[in-house]
Amino acid sequence: MTADPRLPQSSDAPGLRAAFSAPMADDIAKFVASVETDRHLLEADLRGSLAHVAMLEAVGVLTAEQATRLRHGLERIRAEGLDLDPAYEDVHMNVERRLEDLIGADARLLHTARSRNDQVALDLRLYVRDCEARLRLALAELTTALVDQAEAYADVVLPGYTHVQRAQPVSLAHVLLAYHAALTRDLERLRQPFISPLGAGALAGTAVPIDPRRTAQELGADGVFSNALDAVTDRDFAVNFVFAGALLAVHLSQLAETLILWCSQEFNFIHLPDELTTGSSLMPQKKNPDCLELVRGRAGQCIGELVNLLTTLKGLPVGYNRDLQETKPPVVRVGETVLASVNVCALAIRQMTVHREVMRQAASDEKLYATDLVERLVAQGVPFRTAYTIIGNLVRRGVPFSQVPADEWATLGLRVMPETFTPEQSIAGRTSHGGTSPARITDQIAAARAARREDLS
Ligand code: ARG
């Protein structure tokens, strides 16, 4: 390659300091670099550049030969991977420099009609779209595991809790399907329209006759930006994603907490496989649910990242500001953290051993049938609050329901058999919409399966 006579003989710095007379000090170069996070954006950056090249060729800014050389170079970087050097600040400049190593002077055409401002906005959007897809896939596995287990353990009963106090008997399926409902909302939140910002330039568009709609189409976007200044500063998609991830992390944390309680010796409702537990360095008998504790613990980081992101955005004046570089780590950290947590929860749900007899025993506590008795009185026409007081008085007397004489029940108009006080009987009665009766659980399972099939089609 012959040197371009218009270029200085020895450029002092990588790429961006044409107008500068001094190189950047090493520690300052490190300070401003974002290569640590940008590792995750390499694929997105290459995809964006390939779309940009296709558009520049289509509008006649690049010749077919130039475009082909650029494509080959970019594809080669994709195939070989690239270690990002902090001296070149970010993924964009690292790719540009590597491209010049590979294909020579044509690499200098790549940035035509593009700024790193629209480029980075695009990269982050592409990363988010990809991460949403990966998360939806992982979540689909977790929600399917919940439905499978709900079906497999359809006849298992346990106390339902409020305030961690036994409340009313429910089926295990009812509890699993409650988490399924929350996680299905998370799955829906992990979809947002993809608006391409590429072609916005630094802030004001460009005099080069480009076609941003074409680039958007090339990238499979749902739309293209409407205002160049907004396009480079808009991080709403990142906030949406981090919020969706943080709320998902909160739900996973709640699920983890329930399983942690259930596998304690005090509850002993489930057993977790050895793969998901760790030992103590001191107490040989210990098997601790550390994986689930980390799912619970890491939800805090995700919440923190949401606050981090919003705080970074809140004081920005109009136009690109370098603070926006700091919107990348929260997105990547939440994405990667939550994905790993979803996978751990799916394993736990699939592999837990259910102690059905222990659960049933706990649900056989007679006090759990107090509400059923109230509802039977209500069915006889007794006003609810009166019925509540009558049964409350019986509870206060401390006589177990099964030992209240039949004629006392009779004065209340009730016929009470020994089998009245079984969890199965109690559950069977709660047939209202979304309730825990077997019929309603069957409905919920069928609806969950149908929604999944629709999602796949
Ligand atoms: N390294 C920057 C980032 O990751 C790229 C955009 C820089 N733009 C600028 N005008 N300095 O966000």
Side-chain angles (χ1 to χ4, degrees):
M1 180 176 75
T2 51
D4 186 329
R6 289 162 300 184
L7 292 177
Q9 287 315 294
S10 66
S11 174
D12 71 356
L16 296 175
R17 296 177 68 79
F20 293 62
S21 45
M24 195 179 253
D26 279 358
D27 51 347
I28 300 298
K30 274 205 191 88
F31 182 76
V32 300
S34 59
V35 289
E36 212 19 72
T37 314
D38 283 13
R39 287 187 297 120
H40 298 274
L41 302 181
L42 177 62
E43 170 59 27
D45 197 71
L46 294 169
R47 234 188 301 164
S49 286
L50 284 163
H52 188 59
V53 166
M55 182 277 292
L56 290 177
E57 182 187 3
V59 299
V61 171
L62 293 179
T63 66
E65 296 70 37
Q66 289 167 332
T68 303
R69 276 194 290 278
L70 283 163
R71 258 193 294 276
H72 281 160
L74 290 166
E75 291 292 4
R76 195 161 147 200
I77 297 173
R78 186 184 249 168
E80 291 175 353
L82 184 63
D83 284 336
L84 304 187
D85 178 351
Y88 293 90
E89 198 172 303
D90 52 32
V91 64
H92 326 298
M93 295 317 297
N94 269 272
V95 168
E96 196 172 310
R97 181 205 41 88
R98 177 70 184 138
L99 199 60
E100 193 156 350
D101 291 348
L102 292 174
I103 68 166
D106 280 337
R108 294 176 164 257
L109 295 164
L110 179 64
H111 213 54
T112 310
R114 187 172 70 170
S115 157
R116 284 184 300 158
N117 298 354
D118 56 345
Q119 192 177 358
V120 71
L122 175 71
D123 288 9
L124 197 55
R125 281 178 189 270
L126 285 170
Y127 174 84
V128 163
R129 183 174 67 175
D130 209 62
C131 206
E132 285 176 342
R134 283 190 292 149
L135 264 168
R136 284 202 307 271
L137 214 67
L139 258 179
E141 162 50 18
L142 172 56
T143 50
T144 304
L146 286 163
V147 180
D148 288 348
Q149 297 295 58
E151 209 161 37
Y153 294 115
D155 57 340
V156 173
V157 295
L158 75 161
Y161 291 82
T162 66
H163 314 270
V164 202
Q165 305 284 322
R166 288 175 185 169
Q168 289 182 286
V170 294
S171 65
L172 177 57
H174 192 63
V175 180
L176 298 175
L177 291 170
Y179 286 113
H180 179 274
L183 294 168
T184 302
R185 291 193 297 275
D186 290 315
L187 217 145
E188 283 311 312
R189 260 187 294 272
L190 287 165
R191 287 179 212 278
Q192 49 179 329
F194 179 88
I195 304 300
S196 172
L198 199 62
L203 73 162
T206 171
V208 181
I210 55 168
D211 183 358
R213 280 197 184 78
R214 200 197 147 96
T215 331
Q217 210 172 28
E218 189 86 21
L219 291 164
D222 303 297
V224 69
F225 66 94
S226 56
N227 173 286
L229 194 47
D230 174 59
V232 293
T233 51
D234 172 14
R235 294 293 184 277
D236 295 5
F237 67 95
V239 175
N240 288 339
F241 174 71
V242 171
F243 171 72
L247 186 50
L248 166 57
V250 166
H251 291 149
L252 296 176
S253 165
Q254 294 171 338
L255 170 62
E257 169 63 2
T258 295
L259 297 180
I260 290 165
L261 279 176
W262 283 4
C263 74
S264 68
Q265 282 87 341
E266 281 65 23
F267 274 82
N268 193 30
F269 281 0
I270 59 167
H271 176 80
L272 290 174
D274 281 1
E275 293 96 299
L276 284 175
T277 53
T278 55
S280 154
S281 61
L282 184 138
M283 299 165 283
Q285 87 284 8
K286 290 297 292 289
K287 283 190 179 177
N288 301 322
D290 297 40
C291 288
L292 293 171
E293 290 168 287
L294 289 168
V295 167
R296 187 177 58 191
R298 287 178 189 159
Q301 292 167 23
C302 296
I303 295 165
E305 295 296 1
L306 179 60
V307 177
N308 175 1
L309 181 57
L310 289 168
T311 310
T312 299
L313 294 172
K314 73 169 254 304
L316 297 183
V318 68
Y320 179 88
N321 293 275
R322 192 58 175 267
D323 316 41
L324 287 172
Q325 181 168 302
E326 302 307 303
T327 62
K328 293 185 286 187
V331 167
V332 171
R333 283 197 289 253
V334 168
E336 303 300 322
T337 301
V338 174
L339 186 63
S341 291
V342 171
N343 289 334
V344 164
C345 288
L347 267 182
I349 292 295
R350 283 241 181 258
Q351 298 193 9
M352 67 184 177
T353 311
V354 171
H355 298 162
R356 62 170 70 224
E357 274 316 314
V358 180
M359 286 188 179
R360 189 176 189 285
Q361 188 53 41
S364 305
D365 173 351
E366 279 191 11
K367 286 200 270 311
L368 271 67
Y369 308 116
T371 312
D372 297 342
L373 290 166
V374 172
E375 290 191 343
R376 284 184 63 188
L377 289 175
V378 167
Q380 313 274 328
V382 181
F384 172 82
R385 190 57 64 208
T386 307
Y388 173 95
T389 308
I390 292 169
I391 301 300
N393 285 339
L394 274 179
V395 173
R396 187 154 45 103
R397 250 167 54 194
V399 184
F401 294 139
S402 55
Q403 273 155 51
V404 173
D407 45 352
E408 191 173 342
W409 289 122
T411 61
L412 296 171
L414 293 183
R415 231 161 64 87
V416 169
M417 322 284 231
E419 64 269 22
T420 306
F421 303 118
T422 63
E424 289 78 10
Q425 175 91 2
S426 165
I427 286 170
R430 260 168 284 122
T431 53
S432 64
H433 175 82
T436 190
S437 70
R440 294 296 84 79
I441 293 298
T442 305
D443 295 345
Q444 290 179 50
I445 290 175
R449 296 249 190 249
R452 176 84 189 112
R453 272 194 302 276
E454 200 161 303
D455 210 40
L456 285 175
S457 66

